[in-house]
Amino acid sequence: MFKNFINGEYVDSVEAKSFSKRSPIDNTVLYSVPEAGKVEVDAAVDAARNALQGEWGLLTTDQRVDLLFGVANEITRRFDDFVDAEMADTGQHRHVMENVFIPRGAANFKVFAETIKSASGESFQTATPDGKGAINYSIRVPKGVIGVICPWNAPLMLMTWKVAPALACGNTVVVKPSEETPATASLLGEVMNAVGVPRGVYNVIHGFGPDSAGELLARHPKVDAITFTGETRTGAAIMKSASDGIRDVSFELGGKNAGIVFADADFEAAVDGIYRAAFLNSGQICLGTERVYVERPIFERFVAALKDRAEAVKYGRPSDSNANFGPLISQEHRQKVLSYYAKAAADGATIVTGGGIPDVPADLAEGAWVQPTIWTGLSETSAVVREEIFGPCCHIRPFDSENEVVALANDSECGLSTTIWTQNLARAHRMAARIEVGISWVNSWFLRDLRTPFGGSKQSGIGREGGVHSLEFYTETRNVCVKL
Ligand code: NAD
């Protein structure tokens, strides 16, 4: 059903290899996916290269912009198809799909269409010895074929965050969606065809990472640059692949983000903000917080309030309007998360709530369910506090001073985001600048303006995407020097 999409057509794998996509909800097989091998990856990259030389390469910016608005409108027209496909793949609830992930898929195309329309260059008048001078001006040209390698946690949103600017800038793409979430990337092929995006501009190959479609794409000599979102250690592997041929990379990688709550914060707003940051999408959001630091005077009260919220979740199918909490993406990922739950217990954590597998109705029993979990009392050296778990869990620790909490927050190899809660604005600005991250949220979390720079510091990423920042990666800047 969800095949590779190459040169405008849905194709199987010539090796007839396939893999099963299982439901996170109950572990039943949802559908089978053809795994792209060398033949399909070569074909997709060739299609993308040829498209650069064809009709696509001759379009004006305005014509590309019209097509991208068409893509956004067609996603919106087929909203329910995208919601249903992503709900089935991820097991996450309808309200998140309808209010965040799918609308963002359409919005990504609109924002980068607008960005490219108003992008400007630079120019200089240069003095020359003959007195006649020269002018220098810059133009932006597409980089070429972009390999787009994506994770499973917000599939359409994260994929289009890269595909939209790549196409806006005139590139062509070969997308490798996560093996856990093949559906919406495939569906987007139908959208591309429906609105008349030329063949070969958008291609999708399915499969795994190492020794499969992902690695074949990352190593492919005819891919000009690679944009990747996923785990930090996968980024390291892709960077090695990209070094052959000196290809550029843009990386959005893992996080171990600190949430910081001062005693003067709006208490209810802070509890709500940290609840969402720790548990939304079952904790499977790179920007979420698994380390929470709360100023001592409100520590006990805060832990109790967050516990109440965590214990009120309702497990259930995405279509169940009474439910608000979904499973993890897979049994394999559940094993990983549960291994951290076990480590926390072994390291002597106080388990405030959760720590295991919830009771769910019999028809859901085979799904990848885990309890939202809160710990206190762990040392900062525990693996649970240092390593990204990517599950619905957080450790909460009290702090006494601004300097202390800055040091705690920055004591991490990751540097993606932070969320700071205080009503003292001077302190908020100070803190936002001192935490070593790509995004500091103050009295908010996951509030995004798509024109702003997005990315990670330290091991959380390379480069910034969003608004004009995406142009830096998806174009080459060429200088033209004209002697007068
Ligand atoms: P992952 O790194 O396991 O896989 C991501 C993609 O890379 C998949 O498509 C996979 O098949 C592919 N892949 C794996 N090994 C590869 C290789 N050697 N060569 C080429 N491709 C390879 O990540 P995941 O488990 O799908 O996603 C969760 C991770 O993504 C978390 O670490 C999370 O923090 C991170 N993430 C980061 C951001 C961000 O913006 N910084 C956003 C979302 C998710």
Side-chain angles (χ1 to χ4, degrees):
M1 172 175 152
F2 295 112
K3 296 187 175 179
N4 301 299
F5 182 72
I6 299 174
N7 207 26
E9 288 174 9
Y10 286 95
V11 296
D12 282 314
S13 146
V14 291
E15 291 178 34
K17 278 170 85 176
S18 64
F19 59 96
S20 297
K21 163 62 192 166
R22 288 181 177 273
S23 166
I25 295 289
D26 55 16
N27 208 30
T28 52
V29 173
L30 290 175
Y31 51 86
S32 163
V33 188
E35 182 182 350
K38 186 169 183 319
V39 171
E40 288 75 33
V41 177
D42 282 350
V45 174
D46 284 346
R49 283 226 85 76
N50 292 338
L52 286 170
Q53 309 306 327
E55 185 191 347
W56 177 249
L58 298 174
L59 295 183
T60 63
T61 301
D62 279 1
Q63 287 169 323
R64 280 205 312 275
V65 163
D66 286 348
L67 279 175
L68 295 186
F69 275 113
V71 171
N73 293 338
E74 183 67 5
I75 293 174
T76 305
R77 194 184 71 76
R78 297 195 53 187
F79 193 74
D80 291 344
D81 295 340
F82 278 96
V83 168
D84 290 345
E86 196 121 304
M87 264 185 351
D89 270 5
T90 64
Q92 292 301 321
H93 278 272
R94 183 175 285 282
H95 66 272
V96 184
M97 297 301 143
E98 289 187 345
N99 296 315
V100 189
F101 291 168
I102 304 304
R104 261 291 302 279
N108 285 339
F109 283 98
K110 287 187 181 163
V111 80
F112 289 109
E114 278 161 5
T115 302
I116 198 70
K117 240 189 133 161
S118 55
S120 61
E122 47 186 83
S123 86
F124 296 94
Q125 296 185 15
T126 309
T128 56
D130 65 5
K132 292 182 180 167
I135 51 172
N136 283 279
Y137 64 92
S138 65
I139 55 171
R140 288 189 179 277
V141 296
K143 221 164 220 172
V145 176
I146 309 289
V148 182
I149 302 179
C150 306
W152 44 258
N153 57 322
L156 182 75
M157 177 179 110
L158 295 172
M159 179 201 43
T160 53
W161 179 241
K162 295 168 178 302
V163 169
L167 299 193
C169 293
N171 302 282
T172 58
V173 296
V174 179
V175 176
K176 212 300 276 171
S178 168
E179 54 276 26
E180 298 292 351
T181 51
T184 44
S186 280
L187 213 48
L188 193 62
E190 292 180 18
V191 167
M192 297 286 171
N193 281 350
V195 304
V197 172
R199 286 162 163 257
V201 170
Y202 173 80
N203 305 276
V204 180
I205 47 164
H206 291 299
F208 302 86
D211 303 319
S212 183
E215 191 176 339
L216 286 167
L217 182 64
R219 289 193 178 284
H220 205 291
K222 293 185 189 166
V223 169
D224 297 296
I226 298 160
T227 176
F228 167 74
T229 299
E231 282 190 37
T232 297
R233 66 185 165 159
T234 310
I238 291 176
M239 205 165 177
K240 285 187 188 125
S241 300
S243 70
D244 283 334
I246 319 292
R247 273 94 46 75
D248 203 358
V249 294
S250 172
F251 283 169
E252 294 178 356
L253 307 176
K256 188 72 181 177
N257 312 304
I260 300 169
V261 183
F262 285 93
D264 68 355
D266 175 334
F267 186 81
E268 295 305 327
V271 171
D272 191 59
I274 296 291
Y275 170 80
R276 291 197 314 118
F279 302 126
L280 186 73
N281 214 33
S282 304
Q284 302 165 121
I285 293 191
C286 56
L287 305 161
T289 179
E290 293 180 354
R291 299 187 291 148
V292 183
Y293 301 100
V294 178
E295 207 171 8
R296 200 174 297 275
I298 61 163
F299 179 76
E300 300 295 341
R301 189 172 152 229
F302 187 92
V303 172
L306 200 65
K307 172 179 190 283
D308 287 348
R309 291 290 301 271
E311 290 179 352
V313 302
K314 296 204 164 38
Y315 307 93
R317 291 184 182 275
S319 52
D320 177 353
S321 56
N322 293 318
N324 62 7
F325 197 80
L328 297 177
I329 189 69
S330 64
Q331 295 294 331
E332 189 190 357
H333 188 51
R334 179 165 80 160
Q335 280 314 315
K336 176 186 164 189
V337 172
L338 288 175
S339 77
Y340 279 100
Y341 284 16
K343 262 184 211 164
D347 285 356
T350 300
I351 300 167
V352 176
T353 188
I357 296 172
D359 289 330
V360 290
D363 62 324
L364 304 180
E366 299 302 315
W369 304 92
V370 293
Q371 292 176 310
T373 294
I374 300 170
W375 305 285
T376 57
L378 281 172
S379 136
E380 291 292 298
T381 58
S382 166
V384 175
V385 181
R386 302 209 69 77
E387 297 168 12
E388 183 186 49
I389 302 171
F390 220 52
C393 52
C394 62
H395 176 253
I396 316 184
R397 173 191 163 125
F399 71 87
D400 295 298
S401 76
E402 223 176 282
N403 281 344
E404 179 195 5
V405 76
V406 167
L408 287 165
N410 286 341
D411 183 17
S412 171
E413 290 173 345
C414 298
L416 189 54
S417 74
T418 186
T419 170
I420 302 160
W421 295 81
T422 174
Q423 297 202 53
N424 177 339
L425 264 189
R427 171 158 63 197
H429 289 294
R430 251 189 337 260
M431 293 289 296
R434 290 182 73 192
I435 310 293
E436 297 159 358
V437 288
I439 310 152
S440 291
W441 273 293
V442 174
N443 296 329
S444 58
W445 175 76
F446 206 9
L447 176 60
R448 295 277 290 113
D449 181 324
L450 305 184
R451 296 167 299 183
T452 60
F454 178 89
S457 310
K458 303 184 189 175
Q459 293 190 19
S460 290
I462 296 181
R464 294 290 180 272
E465 296 189 348
V468 293
H469 304 277
S470 289
L471 306 187
E472 297 305 319
F473 179 71
Y474 293 104
T475 59
E476 292 287 354
T477 307
R478 181 172 296 154
N479 185 65
V480 180
C481 177
V482 182
K483 175 75 172 60
L484 299 175

